[in-house]
């Protein structure tokens, strides 16, 4: 199987979908001539031309809203946000319009739009550029949110998102863009709402999404080699739809749970997961559920401290040992 | 800061209302008698539908907000009567006139107001959120100015699909101060999109007059110049004038794929919504003057009687029929059932409503 980067996997997904369906349009700031702020869309303008790959002004509310309007008439726009942090100036469009129109029209109108871009901290850029809004957005019925952690999932989820008939928000991660992995060349999708056991184990379940999966896998190796603990890592992949059954199956197997995410803890995704586990698998638990999330403060600029603020393998190992104690 | 002394108003508004100067304009002269009567009938139907809404509201059967269009009928009537099969429209929350103009029934509109499952949005949208995509009507939007990017996107899609069409995007005079509107203006002009931004200038945004909300209130349409867009000002009390001037913008959209801002001067007779006691921010005299001298339905009626297209008897019959239709709609709404508790979680995701081999989602989408 070919090996490619997370960035190339996203690009491959978009290229294949642009070829498959002429209603697919890529739009965003710097996506065309500049080849993408992170080079995710590199070469696509050359291949598909300016009708299909479109540079927009710096008007997130304007161009995202325009994409939503176009999607109501059957266009399938794939909109890049340079950072998901910038979604906040377009939140009315993203939430009120894309998220509500199907419902308010009694099911008469669909908004098959994809909005994608990086949503992560750890890049030493300060609080305004480090938001992870998956919990905020996934809390709105009508919206779907996915957070791929590997190149394989990045391609498969992106293709599923583009084919989906509802608004799907894909949260990528700049730190993962260069990560490499095996990615099939053929046409495959990773369905939304299917979690993936990234590592099997018996003693402890770690539930994570996005880059926290990679962090958790590193921690699992340390826990195995230095502490003799067998850890299962469940990658949610998709926040909404949520694969509850895969999470619960793992809990029933290991009976101990650690939740890891890069969000701030208050009302984070893991608050929902903890609720799920206690409501449907309370008797399976041999210990209280613990969490590792970002330290509850705006993102600090200082790199040395930011690396401590977000989950890292050392913090995950330390918290895992508490659950196992 | 000094306010501009010169207001850019349509010429016809500076004179007392009389016979329309636009009757001979080809878009109007070209209408058959039957078409003229049909247009008058639609305006009368909007008026009587909403008059009936007031009673239904006062009976406590309509919840939430109810924004009436009474006084503004010629704006929706004039513009929408020009539209063809690839012309679309979208508006804000003051949407009943547009809905009836595109051919939505009084029944489905009234039932939506009372939250019934027979409403146009199955009781899920309410007064501010009517939709009829089969009639190219894309809502009904509750957030001031939020529909401007959507309307621009509809025009973008029309162009992308290679159709000769347009989108009319209506908004109020208060909406022009929203950032999203300016972002939409810029995109529309930058990308030559066939969109017509219609500012329905009724003089007030809730209880705030333009002088108190808007820098350079002399002309809202003129802001188009900042984006290199064409603009025009229109007397919205005269449906013939609305048609004549909107037709120019529509041609610009169809032939040149270029946007226009049209500021249409109009007036609302009732409060901002039924919740507005309408006591603090304008004079009763002002309302009276508009009602008596510039009423768009009466002016058009007079016009058609003078043209001998209509007789007073025929006009009376049309109005009576509209009242009866509105009464029947109120009865229909009364007798219609509520949505069921199970309906609450339907129509959220296409995926959830159409589960099958094609769906790309598997997990739990709607949570308990
Ligand atoms: C973003 C937003 N802010 C405030 C409101 C509350 N609001 C609803 S209508 C309105 C006045 C708008 O006036 P205008 O644009 O002139 O339209 P009109 O009501 O006169 O038709 C306000 C402040 C809202 N719905 N959305
Ligand atoms: Mg107004």
């Amino acid at each position: 199987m070919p090996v490619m980067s997370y960035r190339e996997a996203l690009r491959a997904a978009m290229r294949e979908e642009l070829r498959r369906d002429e209603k697919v349009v890529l739009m965003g700031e710097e996506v065309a001539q500049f080849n993408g702020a992170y080079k995710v869309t590199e070469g696509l303008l050359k291949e598909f031309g300016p009708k299909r790959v479109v540079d927009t002004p710096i008007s997130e509310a304007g161009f995202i809203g325009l994409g939503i309007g176009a999607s109501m008439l059957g266009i399938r726009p794939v909109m890049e946000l340079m950072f998901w942090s910038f979604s906040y100036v377009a939140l009315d469009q993203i939430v009120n319009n894309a998220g509500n129109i199907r419902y308010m029209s009694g099911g008469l109108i669909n908004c098959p739009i994809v909005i994608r871009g990086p949503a992560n901290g750890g890049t030493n850029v300060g609080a305004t550029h480090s938001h992870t809004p998956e919990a905020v957005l996934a809390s709105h019925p009508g919206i779907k949110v996915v957070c791929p952690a590997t190149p394989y999932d990045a391609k498969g989820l992106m293709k599923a998102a583009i084919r989906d008939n509802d608004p799907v928000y894909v949260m990528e991660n700049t730190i993962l863009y260069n990560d490499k992995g095996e990615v099939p060349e053929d046409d495959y999708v990773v369905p939304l709402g299917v979690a993936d056991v990234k590592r099997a184990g018996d003693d402890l379940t770690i539930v994570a999404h996005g880059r926290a999966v990679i962090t958790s896998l590193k921690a699992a190796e340390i826990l195995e080699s230095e502490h003799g603990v067998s850890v299962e890592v469940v990658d949610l992949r998709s926040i909404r739809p949520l694969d509850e059954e895969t999470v619960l199956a793992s809990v029933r197997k290991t009976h101990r749970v650690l939740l890891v995410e890069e969000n701030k803890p208050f009302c984070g995704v893991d608050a929902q997961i903890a609720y799920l586990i206690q409501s449907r698998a309370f008797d399976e638990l041999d210990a209280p559920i613990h969490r590792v999330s970002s330290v509850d403060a705006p993102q600090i600029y200082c790199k040395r401290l930011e690396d401590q603020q977000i989950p890292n393998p050392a913090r995950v190992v330390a918290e895992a040992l508490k659950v196992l104690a | 800061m000094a306010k501009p002394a010169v207001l850019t108003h349509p010429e016809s508004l500076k004179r007392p209302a009389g016979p329309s100067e636009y009757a001979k304009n080809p878009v109007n002269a070209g209408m058959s008698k039957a078409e003229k009567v049909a247009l008058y009938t639609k305006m009368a139907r909007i008026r009587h539908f909403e008059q009936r809404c007031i009673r239904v509201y006062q009976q406590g059967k309509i919840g939430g907000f109810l924004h009436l269009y009474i006084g503004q009928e010629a704006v929706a009537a004039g513009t929408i009567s020009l539209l063809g099969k690839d012309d679309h429209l979208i508006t804000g929350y003051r949407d009943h006139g547009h809905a009836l103009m595109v051919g939505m029934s009084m029944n489905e509109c009234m039932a939506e107001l009372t939250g019934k499952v027979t409403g146009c949005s199955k009781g899920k949208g309410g007064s501010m959120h009517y939709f009829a995509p089969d009639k190219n009507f894309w809502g009904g939007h509750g957030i001031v100015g939020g529909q401007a990017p959507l309307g621009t996107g509809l025009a973008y899609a029309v162009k992308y699909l290679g159709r000769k069409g347009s989108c009319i995007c209506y908004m109020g005079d208060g909406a022009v101060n929203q950032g999203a509107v300016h972002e939409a203006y810029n995109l529309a002009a930058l990308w030559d999109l066939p969109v017509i931004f219609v500012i329905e200038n009724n003089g007030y945004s809730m209880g705030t007059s333009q002088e108190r909300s808007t820098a350079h209130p002399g002309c809202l349409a003129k802001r188009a110049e900042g984006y290199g867009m064409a603009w025009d000002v229109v007397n919205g009390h005269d449906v013939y004038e609305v048609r004549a001037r909107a037709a120019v913008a529509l041609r610009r959209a169809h032939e040149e794929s270029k946007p226009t801002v049209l500021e249409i001067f109009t007036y609302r007779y009732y409060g901002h919504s039924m919740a507005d006691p309408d006591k603090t921010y304008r004079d009763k005299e002002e309302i009276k003057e508009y009602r008596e001298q510039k009423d768009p339905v009466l002016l058009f009626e007079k016009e058609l009687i003078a043209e001998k297209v209509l007789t007073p008897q025929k006009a009376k019959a049309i109005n009576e029929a509209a009242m009866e239709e509105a009464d029947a709609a109120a009865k229909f709404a009364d007798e219609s059932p509520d949505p069921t508790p199970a309906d609450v979680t339907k129509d959220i995701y296409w995926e959830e409503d159409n589960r099958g081999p094609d769906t790309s989602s598997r997990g739990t989408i709607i949570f308990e």
Side-chain angles (χ1 to χ4, degrees):
Chain A
M1 217 188 282
V3 169
M4 64 173 83
S5 70
Y6 184 99
R7 169 189 288 111
E8 289 162 342
L10 289 167
R11 186 188 305 142
M14 288 189 269
R15 177 183 287 123
E16 288 173 23
E17 295 306 299
L18 278 162
R19 280 187 192 146
R20 188 185 59 79
D21 181 354
E22 64 179 30
K23 300 256 174 79
V24 175
V25 182
L26 306 193
M27 256 191 214
E29 293 158 20
E30 312 294 356
V31 297
Q33 282 201 21
F34 193 76
N35 274 323
Y38 308 101
K39 307 298 170 220
V40 174
T41 53
E42 187 162 34
L44 297 180
L45 170 65
K46 198 161 166 231
E47 184 172 346
F48 296 97
K51 185 178 178 193
R52 312 289 305 284
V53 184
V54 185
D55 279 325
T56 66
I58 309 162
S59 303
E60 284 79 3
F63 77 76
I64 298 267
L66 177 148
I68 297 164
S71 79
M72 301 194 301
L73 260 185
I75 308 296
R76 290 187 172 260
V78 181
M79 319 294 286
E80 176 170 311
L81 281 169
M82 204 177 278
F83 289 84
W84 266 101
S85 288
F86 304 161
S87 68
Y88 294 8
V89 303
L91 217 54
D92 179 45
Q93 300 299 327
I94 289 174
V95 173
N96 257 330
N97 287 345
N100 286 342
I101 284 175
R102 178 173 166 79
Y103 194 71
M104 294 193 305
S105 67
L108 295 175
I109 299 173
N110 296 307
C111 297
I113 188 167
V114 173
I115 306 177
R116 53 157 290 271
N120 58 282
T123 47
N124 198 203
V125 290
T128 56
H129 286 55
S130 303
H131 290 291
T132 52
E134 63 267 30
V136 173
L137 291 174
S139 70
H140 297 91
I143 287 169
K144 297 177 179 179
V145 179
V146 298
C147 301
T150 64
Y152 178 92
D153 291 342
K155 181 175 171 189
L157 286 171
M158 181 61 72
K159 285 169 73 86
I162 294 172
R163 294 179 193 188
D164 199 275
N165 291 323
D166 295 311
V168 185
Y169 302 161
V170 182
M171 308 216 176
E172 303 162 8
N173 190 310
T174 50
I175 297 176
L176 299 179
Y177 278 145
N178 286 331
D179 277 15
K180 291 207 157 55
E182 290 192 334
V183 177
E185 248 169 312
D186 55 327
D187 182 28
Y188 71 96
V189 296
V190 171
L192 311 184
V194 180
D196 185 37
V197 177
K198 285 281 190 293
R199 176 190 173 107
D202 301 314
D203 302 330
L204 172 71
T205 294
I206 293 182
V207 181
H209 65 273
R211 182 171 169 237
V213 173
I214 309 300
T215 308
S216 300
L217 288 169
K218 286 181 187 149
E221 262 169 45
I222 298 168
L223 285 161
E224 172 114 44
S225 60
E226 294 179 16
H227 302 276
V229 179
S230 163
V231 178
E232 179 145 306
V233 177
V234 176
D235 175 2
L236 292 175
R237 297 201 288 201
S238 145
I239 308 304
R240 189 176 191 135
L242 183 66
D243 183 353
E244 301 183 324
E245 299 312 321
T246 300
V247 172
L248 294 169
S250 183
V251 174
R252 290 188 188 110
K253 181 175 160 194
T254 67
H255 309 290
R256 286 171 195 269
V257 182
L258 175 65
L259 307 175
V260 184
E261 68 175 325
E262 201 183 299
N263 272 308
K264 306 299 189 285
F266 194 81
C267 299
V269 171
D270 286 348
Q272 178 73 19
I273 305 296
Y275 168 76
L276 166 72
I277 294 169
Q278 71 80 31
S279 68
R280 291 193 47 204
F282 184 75
D283 293 335
E284 297 283 347
L285 290 174
D286 287 347
I289 299 167
H290 282 227
R291 301 166 72 185
V292 174
S293 36
S294 282
V295 172
D296 199 14
Q299 204 80 0
I300 192 165
Y301 165 69
C302 171
K303 177 81 169 108
R304 275 85 58 203
L305 283 159
E306 191 190 17
D307 288 344
Q308 299 304 311
Q309 182 173 20
I310 62 178
N312 56 39
R315 282 181 60 203
V316 175
V317 168
E319 205 63 29
L321 293 174
K322 288 186 201 162
V323 182
L324 290 158
Chain B
M1 203 183 67
K3 297 285 184 201
V6 185
L7 298 183
T8 311
H9 276 178
E11 286 302 315
S12 62
L13 255 190
K14 297 174 186 164
R15 297 184 278 274
S20 175
E21 297 158 33
Y22 290 85
K24 293 211 166 62
N25 184 284
V27 293
N28 298 320
M31 287 171 93
S32 68
K33 283 188 176 184
E35 283 168 341
K36 289 179 178 180
V37 173
L39 183 57
Y40 172 77
T41 305
K42 283 182 182 164
M43 290 172 69
R45 285 177 68 246
I46 298 172
R47 175 69 55 95
H48 292 297
F49 172 76
E50 289 206 304
Q51 296 284 8
R52 193 68 178 80
C53 289
I54 296 173
R55 276 169 55 202
V56 178
Y57 184 91
Q58 285 164 344
Q59 290 166 343
K61 293 175 183 166
I62 298 176
F65 296 118
L66 177 65
H67 307 89
L68 299 173
Y69 198 61
I70 295 178
Q72 302 187 203
E73 292 90 343
V75 181
T79 49
I80 295 170
S81 62
L82 296 168
L83 302 185
K85 83 171 192 350
D86 285 317
D87 297 310
H88 298 258
L89 65 141
I90 189 164
T91 185
Y93 43 83
R94 203 177 293 287
D95 57 356
H96 306 166
H98 310 78
L100 292 178
M101 269 309 297
V102 299
M104 291 170 74
S105 71
M106 283 196 197
N107 280 1
E108 62 182 319
C109 289
M110 190 66 88
E112 188 61 32
L113 296 181
T114 58
K116 298 300 180 75
V117 75
T118 51
C120 50
S121 297
K122 304 181 191 161
K124 293 179 169 182
S127 164
M128 303 189 285
H129 309 119
Y130 284 4
F131 297 86
D134 61 322
K135 300 177 173 68
N136 290 1
F137 177 48
W138 301 91
H141 293 268
I143 301 297
V144 170
Q147 75 277 19
L150 297 179
T152 310
L154 287 161
Y156 172 89
V158 165
K159 185 173 179 179
Y160 186 93
L161 297 169
R163 298 181 191 152
K164 190 170 174 173
S166 69
C167 180
I168 303 192
C169 180
Y170 300 84
M171 64 184 119
D173 48 288
V176 300
N177 294 324
Q178 277 284 9
V181 171
H182 288 267
E183 296 190 21
Y185 279 7
N186 184 55
L187 286 163
L190 183 71
W191 291 349
D192 288 332
L193 299 179
V195 56
I196 300 164
F197 298 102
V198 169
I199 303 167
E200 301 199 41
N201 186 347
N202 58 15
Y204 300 89
S205 47
M206 285 186 76
T208 308
S209 67
Q210 254 150 66
E211 289 69 31
R212 297 199 300 120
S213 66
T214 304
H216 188 51
C219 181
L220 305 177
K222 222 172 183 172
R223 292 183 181 189
E225 285 179 10
Y227 301 93
M229 254 189 297
W231 61 274
D232 197 4
V233 286
V234 183
N235 173 356
H237 309 286
D238 174 0
V239 71
Y240 275 163
E241 176 165 343
V242 173
R243 280 174 52 86
R245 302 185 91 104
V248 176
L250 204 60
R251 254 197 312 279
R252 185 176 293 121
H254 289 171
E255 306 300 331
E256 303 167 45
S257 189
K258 294 248 195 238
T260 305
V261 177
L262 283 186
E263 180 177 2
I264 306 188
F265 289 79
T266 180
Y267 198 78
R268 68 166 156 75
Y269 297 167
Y270 290 87
H272 166 71
S273 73
M274 291 300 288
D276 167 16
D278 198 1
K279 293 214 165 97
T280 53
Y281 59 91
R282 61 179 182 177
D283 239 11
K284 287 277 167 281
E285 277 308 301
E286 181 183 287
I287 305 174
K288 192 161 167 267
E289 194 185 317
Y290 275 100
R291 266 185 183 277
E292 288 174 0
Q293 294 172 26
K294 296 202 172 112
D295 186 87
V297 184
L298 287 180
L299 284 178
F300 193 43
E301 184 179 311
K302 271 194 205 159
E303 187 80 35
L304 294 186
I305 289 172
E307 286 183 29
K308 303 207 183 323
V309 167
L310 204 59
T311 60
Q313 296 75 7
K314 180 88 202 291
K316 189 160 172 265
I318 287 170
N319 282 281
E320 280 168 4
M323 279 184 241
E324 273 168 34
E325 190 187 354
D327 280 342
K331 185 158 179 282
F332 172 82
D334 265 346
E335 290 168 356
S336 290
D338 280 348
T340 66
D343 289 332
V344 175
T345 50
K346 289 186 190 141
D347 302 316
I348 302 172
Y349 294 97
W350 181 91
E351 217 52 76
E352 187 78 14
D353 296 339
N354 297 277
R355 279 201 182 269
D358 292 344
T359 54
S360 52
S361 296
R362 300 284 184 277
T364 305
I365 306 188
I366 296 165
F367 299 91
E368 286 170 4

